[in-house]
Amino acid sequence: MLFTLVPMAIRGLVQGRFPPEGEKVYKPTLVVRGAKAYVKPVLYLTITVASVLLIWWGHQQAAIMPALDSDKLDPALCQSDT
């Protein structure tokens, strides 16, 4: 995502059109200009930044997890009572 969506979104924001000039499309696509052209690039950047932040947060959470001692784990804890 980082290497495909971000450059396309930046080019779309700079050019003020979407899809940006030179971007390969697989079917006839209407080029959107003006205020509507900023919606997809901003959405792509938002999704990418949110994904990177989620990955970073998860990495921070994994670093502070306590170590599990497999000798103290009881298999009965994983079984339901019903």
Side-chain angles (χ1 to χ4, degrees):
M1 258 178 29
L2 193 63
F3 298 115
T4 58
L5 290 183
V6 171
M8 180 176 52
I10 292 173
R11 281 196 324 267
L13 288 174
V14 169
Q15 294 178 9
R17 58 179 267 172
F18 195 83
E21 187 175 345
E23 186 69 31
K24 182 171 177 65
V25 292
Y26 296 103
K27 61 181 181 179
T29 304
L30 181 66
V31 175
V32 180
R33 291 177 168 51
K36 289 183 180 180
Y38 292 104
V39 173
K40 280 188 181 178
V42 168
L43 183 65
Y44 289 169
L45 289 174
T46 303
I47 290 171
T48 305
V49 169
S51 298
V52 168
L53 289 175
L54 184 65
I55 291 167
W56 177 79
W57 177 79
H59 178 70
Q60 298 298 319
Q61 297 301 313
I64 61 173
M65 285 183 65
L68 291 176
D69 186 9
S70 60
D71 295 334
K72 293 182 180 179
L73 293 177
D74 184 15
L77 296 173
C78 298
Q79 297 172 358
S80 64
D81 293 335
T82 58

